[in-house]
Each structure stands twice: as C-alpha cells, then as structure tokens.
Amino acid sequence: MTMRPALSVSMLALLALLLPACAAAPDRQGGANNGTGGGGDTAVPLPSEVWRSDGYGLIIGVAGSKALTFETTEVSCLPSKSLDQLGQAAADGTVQYGRKGVPAETLRRGADGKATLHLLGTAADIDLLPMSELPGVCTKKMPTDPLSTFDVFWATFAENYNSFGRKNVDWDAVRDQYRPKVSSDTEDAELFAVLRSMIKPLGDVHTTISADGKDFYGLRPGTPDLSDKGVRKAVDDHLREDLGVSQIQSFANRAISYADLPGGRGYLRINGFEGYNDEDSSFTGSKATLAQVLDQVFTQQRVSTLKGLIIDVRNNSGGDDALGLQVAGRLTNTPYTAFTKQPRNDPKDQSKHGRLQTVTVTPATGPRYTGPIRVLTSELTISAGETFVEALMGRTPAPSRYGAATQGVFADDMSRKLPNGWTITLGNEDYYAPDGRNYESVGIPPTVPVPVFSADDLEQHRDAAVDAPW
C-alpha cells in the first residue's frame, strides 16, 4: 500500500482546473446524477421493462416515455436519474433519451430480451440483461445515516473497482479498520475524513468524493504540481519568441490551440475533451464545436503541405473518449483498432469481466492529415487524454511519443450518489492498447523520454519535447 503526502493548496487548485470530469462526471460515464437519488424522496414509477447491466451496478427500466436508472450494490438500490424519450425509435429500434431536448443516452433492444445502453461520449456500449421486474428494494427509501453511507461506499468499491489487485489493497481489511470509526452520530466532517482515508492510498485520479463543498481527488504519487508555473504561457512564449511563430489560434474555450511551426510543421495542443461550448455543455454541443475547430485546423491546403504534426496533450485533463476518437479520425485514411475495453462484472471476483469490445478509429469526412506525428505526454495526461494516445498508437505511421508516462487512469468515470447525497467516482473498466497491454496505474510510457516542463526549460523558454529534432 503506497502512501503520499497531503495535497498542497496549489495542487488542489490545479486539480480543480484539470479534473472537472471527475467531480460531476457528465462526460465519460453518461451524465451527472439527477432526479430522485440520495434516499428516494420521490415516488418511483414501476417500469414495464427492466434490465440489469453486465457490470456497472445499474438497473435500467422503461416506464412509458421515461428511462429510469438505479444504482445498486449488494446492500442498496438508489434511484439515480429519469430521462425523457426524445423522438421516435430509429429503424434499428434504438431509442434516444435525455433532458430538456438534450440527448444523454440511447437504448437498443436486442434478441432474447437483452439490450444495450450507450452513454453519449463514451466509446462502447453497456450490455443489459433482462429482469422480470424491478426489485422491491429499489422502491424503498434508503437510510441516509453515516453507517448506511459508509456501507454503500465500501460496497460500491468492493463490487466495481478495477485496481485492488494492481495496488495490492485488501479492501476487506480496509473496511475492518475504518467501519468501527463510524457511528450513527458521526459528523459529516468526520465521515468525509474516514472515506477519504480509505481511498487516498489508491493514488487514483478516478477515485473522488464530492461532499457539500468539500472535494477529494486521488493522484498518482510523484505527479508534479504545475499550478503556479504558467505552463501554457511559457509554451506559447517559446513558440513566439524562440521559434518565430506569428500566430497561435485558440479555439473551444481555449481548450484547443494550433500554430504553424517553422519547417512546414504544425503544433496542435488539446487540454481536454469536454467543455468546448458554454451555450451547450453537453457532449453533442462539444462534438459540434470540435467539428468546426477541426475544419479550421485541417484545411485542404494545410494537410497537403504539412511535413509533420506535434500533438500536445501534456496538460490534458480528460473528458469524452468519443471526442478523442473524433480527432483521431482526422489523422487516418484507413479504419483501425483504437483500443479494446471491458468492465469488471462480478461483485465477488475482481478477475472476471464482461464482453470485450473493440473500439475503432473511423476516418472522418473532410481533409485528413496522414503524415508523421509526434505526441507529447506527461503525468498530467489523464483519462480521455490517455485513451486518445491509445487511439493513435495503432495508426500508420505510428506516432512517436515524447515526454513522460501518462497518469494511468483509463476507465469511464463511474459516478455514484451515496445515501446522504454525496457523490463518488471510481474506475471499473480495463482498457487494452493496440499493443495488447493494459496501462492502468502505470500509464503509457513515452518512446522518447524527455523532461516535461522542467524548471530550466520554463525559465529559459525551452521545450525539450517540441524542440527535439525529427
């Protein structure tokens, strides 16, 4: 079990900027929880069709024009969200659901009563298995006391977390150590401290707790604190003052930047795969904005003359896998495997998984660049930033990777509400790169290790990864 020091105030400020996905988790696991939740204060309509997910701990029900989601463990069933049907079913039977006209997920009925659920922004489906009816426990109000909250917290991790074995953590022993510290009279601050202490040693960015203004984010030990170093400005100053770049274009709420470099090469920086559109913060809004950005970056003239492209995701906080695949589609003329993924699906056995799904990079319409690529990575390449790197590894020609190993968290954020209303996240899936390896916890290594935002580079306007010869 690895311990690490408490986070500094500056590191917490950095994480608040870097990891919006983990706090509300609307991106990589299908929407922030809304609706009944937190103890079932609202009457639950009885659905006419019910499925349980293969992994993920979900029950999905359809009641008339509504899709209902319930979050379950061995000790709980909490109503999570209620979405409205949007339009009619498609020709293949796919039905779209969302809120206020904004789509969030699709449901497609299959053979033998089975179905698949797709959460928009994710890269694969969730398999659904038929149930005869909604379990009675799902219609009953869940106690919200500290012990019940503790038990649901522990069970959610016990039944779903993907890395106890990798991190050599005995979760049963963790329960035995910490449950005696909780009683019906435990104050919120004390309970938060207990839950935080349970998951802090995991060193996992996808393990979070949000509780009435208090937030905890895990982090791999040794991750640098760059919150006070003005990294973006330092890189841009280097491009302008040292490399002679005349213009750096900024797009999508400054999440994406592009510059033409000397020698006929380009520099594309992507700091996240979400939040591109203030007026429409949904996945569909970001997808549309990204399409417009890519049209401006990958013009026919540019892709026909570009001699090389640097893609900088060293400060990429993650977001939607599907947006990373959208970018990758501009970088190939041939479909290829991006990665494969599967969920943990046995609450009692951490080694068992659901169906292995293959995710493909599909060439986009419009101009595409197919020449040499250099991808820049660091410990702050996180989550969807990492799956994007995986999605480029199978490309021809394969990109070189300069910098340091990525953070090592790939799964979609599995967001859950506790009985007292707090929100937690964790990872429950395993991703496999085109080379067949699972880089969870260790991160994707660079092919060419170079310093990342070293003090000397920042002070002297150097950038080892950008400046290295091709």
Side-chain angles (χ1 to χ4, degrees), residues 141-371:
K141 188 172 182 178
M142 178 80 190
T144 62
D145 62 282
L147 277 171
S148 296
T149 296
F150 178 98
D151 288 341
V152 173
F153 176 84
W154 182 88
T156 301
F157 274 83
E159 297 174 18
N160 298 284
Y161 185 56
N162 60 7
S163 291
F164 286 129
R166 277 185 282 264
K167 297 177 182 292
N168 298 313
V169 171
D170 182 341
W171 195 238
D172 288 334
V174 172
R175 176 191 56 196
D176 294 343
Q177 177 183 355
Y178 284 99
R179 197 174 191 277
K181 301 177 184 292
V182 180
S183 71
S184 59
D185 298 324
T186 299
E187 298 289 339
D188 283 353
E190 297 175 88
L191 179 61
F192 184 88
V194 167
L195 302 187
R196 178 185 59 201
S197 297
M198 293 169 69
I199 61 174
K200 183 179 178 181
L202 298 174
D204 188 330
V205 169
H206 276 169
T207 60
T208 73
I209 310 171
S210 295
D212 302 325
K214 290 184 179 180
D215 297 292
F216 168 77
Y217 301 96
L219 195 67
R220 192 177 76 190
T223 300
D225 181 357
L226 301 176
S227 55
D228 296 325
K229 294 188 177 179
V231 168
R232 188 200 305 259
K233 183 179 184 301
V235 173
D236 287 353
D237 286 348
H238 176 60
L239 296 180
R240 291 190 181 100
E241 299 173 15
D242 305 306
L243 299 186
V245 169
S246 60
Q247 181 183 25
I248 302 175
Q249 296 175 279
S250 183
F251 310 96
N253 285 333
R254 299 187 70 214
I256 302 174
S257 299
Y258 179 82
D260 288 313
L261 302 179
R265 296 186 174 91
Y267 171 84
L268 176 63
R269 180 171 61 222
I270 307 175
N271 282 348
F273 290 109
E274 64 175 350
Y276 294 161
N277 187 331
D278 285 337
E279 295 180 359
D280 183 355
S281 61
S282 69
F283 163 73
T284 53
S286 287
K287 180 181 179 181
T289 298
L290 180 58
Q292 296 172 2
V293 172
L294 296 176
D295 283 342
Q296 295 178 69
V297 172
F298 294 100
T299 63
Q300 186 61 59
Q301 179 181 2
R302 180 171 283 136
V303 300
S304 63
T305 60
L306 206 58
K307 296 180 180 179
L309 178 65
I310 294 174
I311 302 179
D312 189 348
V313 290
R314 290 176 294 182
N315 219 359
N316 188 298
S317 59
D320 293 324
D321 283 351
L323 297 181
L325 294 170
Q326 187 176 346
V327 176
R330 288 289 189 138
L331 303 171
T332 182
N333 287 334
T334 306
Y336 64 89
T337 297
F339 46 80
T340 56
K341 58 178 289 192
Q342 60 186 166
R344 180 183 164 187
N345 75 340
D346 188 323
K348 302 294 185 182
D349 189 341
Q350 300 174 33
S351 68
K352 292 186 178 180
H353 295 82
R355 175 170 63 99
L356 184 69
Q357 298 187 58
T358 298
V359 177
T360 301
V361 174
T362 302
T365 58
R368 297 183 292 271
Y369 170 72
T370 59

Side-chain angles (χ1 to χ4, degrees), residues 3 8 12 77 118 164 251 271 283 301 305 317 327 378 381 407 436 451 458:
M3 300 297 292
S8 66
L12 288 172
C77 180
H118 186 81
F164 286 129
F251 310 96
N271 282 348
F283 163 73
Q301 179 181 2
T305 60
S317 59
V327 176
S378 80
T381 307
Q407 179 71 199
L458 290 172

Side-chain angles (χ1 to χ4, degrees), residues 81 164 311 387 405 437 460:
K81 59 185 177 182
F164 286 129
I311 302 179
T387 66
R437 290 190 58 185
Q460 300 182 33

Side-chain angles (χ1 to χ4, degrees), residues 37-102:
D41 298 325
T42 304
V44 177
L46 293 177
S48 57
E49 296 177 281
V50 185
W51 298 268
R52 67 172 179 86
S53 60
D54 187 28
Y56 302 94
L58 299 175
I59 291 177
I60 306 297
V62 172
S65 62
K66 293 188 177 296
L68 312 173
T69 300
F70 302 84
E71 300 168 357
T72 72
T73 69
E74 188 176 36
V75 299
S76 62
C77 180
L78 291 170
S80 170
K81 59 185 177 182
S82 173
L83 300 177
D84 301 317
Q85 181 174 334
L86 305 178
Q88 300 299 312
D92 65 354
T94 298
V95 181
Q96 193 172 73
Y97 293 91
R99 279 198 162 205
K100 297 181 179 179
V102 178

